Amino acid sequence: MLNLFKLFEMQRQLDERIEKEHPRKPGEDRLAKKILALMVELGELANEWRGFKFWSNDQNPRTTKIVRCHACGGQGFFLGFENSQEDCMYCEGTGIQEETNPLLEEYVDCLHFILSIGLELGITEIHNLSSDKGADLLFMFMEVNESSIILIQYAIDGNDAYSSIAYIDMFGKFLGLGEMLGYTWEQIEEAYMRKNAENHSRQERGY
């Protein structure tokens, strides 16, 4: 079950931190920047999906990426006394630092901006939001993108009521896209929380 209130709250805390570290400049349209950032992330998500790459024989989604252990160089061991092998304590001898899902990571990057756009519009919770799935993944990408364009047009016109409607429509299509990519809400929520923690760490490091 979708717990959007919790995610909106987590996003609000992250946004407040970013606002503190990167204050708005006079006249800056941060909503427009967030929507453009969403479009960029949608492009990166599509790039990991690869289903539009008619020129390539490899159109399989990028759902697994293995990051080799930096400590042992992916070998899983160190050479000890008289060339004896000792398991790397950082990766426990696997040679793998972590295994990631690039497609899901890009999806939750998009989710961060969608939640942030909602907060910009004064939306902190959506009740009974349902996914809006289409028949074709290719067109679902374009529908989410088109919805974001409609949203910014209403926002520029100062039409708050229609902006909220357009936002909920975009969010529903985005959830439908996630389902069509094969993800459950539980997987999405877990991945969002991991990336949210990473984004806080990035702010600490002066990203």
Side-chain angles (χ1 to χ4, degrees), residues 164-175:
S164 296
I165 293 170
Y167 175 76
I168 292 170
D169 176 67
M170 178 182 69
F171 209 149
K173 286 181 168 63
F174 180 72
L175 291 180

Side-chain angles (χ1 to χ4, degrees), residues 106-158:
E106 293 298 345
Y107 184 84
V108 297
D109 281 348
C110 293
L111 180 57
H112 271 81
F113 284 112
I114 286 181
L115 292 167
S116 189
I117 290 165
L119 292 170
E120 197 80 24
L121 296 171
I123 298 170
T124 58
E125 190 174 5
I126 304 173
H127 296 284
N128 302 318
L129 179 64
S130 59
S131 64
D132 182 5
K133 291 187 287 187
D136 188 283
L137 257 170
L138 181 71
F139 287 100
M140 279 306 297
F141 274 99
M142 290 189 281
E143 284 193 33
V144 176
N145 194 65
E146 182 181 7
S147 296
S148 67
I149 295 170
I150 293 170
L151 170 59
I152 194 63
Q153 289 172 338
Y154 284 134
I156 289 170
D157 292 341

Side-chain angles (χ1 to χ4, degrees), residues 44-120:
E44 293 181 6
L45 175 62
N47 200 47
E48 298 296 349
W49 170 58
R50 298 185 64 83
F52 68 95
K53 299 192 175 188
F54 60 89
W55 60 88
S56 174
N57 290 325
D58 179 10
Q59 296 186 27
N60 295 318
R62 298 294 190 253
T63 56
T64 304
K65 179 181 178 182
I66 294 174
V67 180
R68 299 193 180 279
C69 177
H70 295 296
C72 65
Q75 295 183 97
F77 62 87
F78 294 108
L79 291 177
F81 182 68
E82 293 184 346
N83 289 331
S84 62
Q85 291 185 5
E86 298 176 7
D87 281 352
C88 174
M89 64 172 147
Y90 296 99
C91 66
E92 299 179 341
T94 64
I96 299 172
Q97 181 172 320
E98 63 177 329
E99 187 173 316
T100 63
N101 185 329
L103 185 69
L104 180 56
E105 286 185 353
E106 293 298 345
Y107 184 84
V108 297
D109 281 348
C110 293
L111 180 57
H112 271 81
F113 284 112
I114 286 181
L115 292 167
S116 189
I117 290 165
L119 292 170
E120 197 80 24

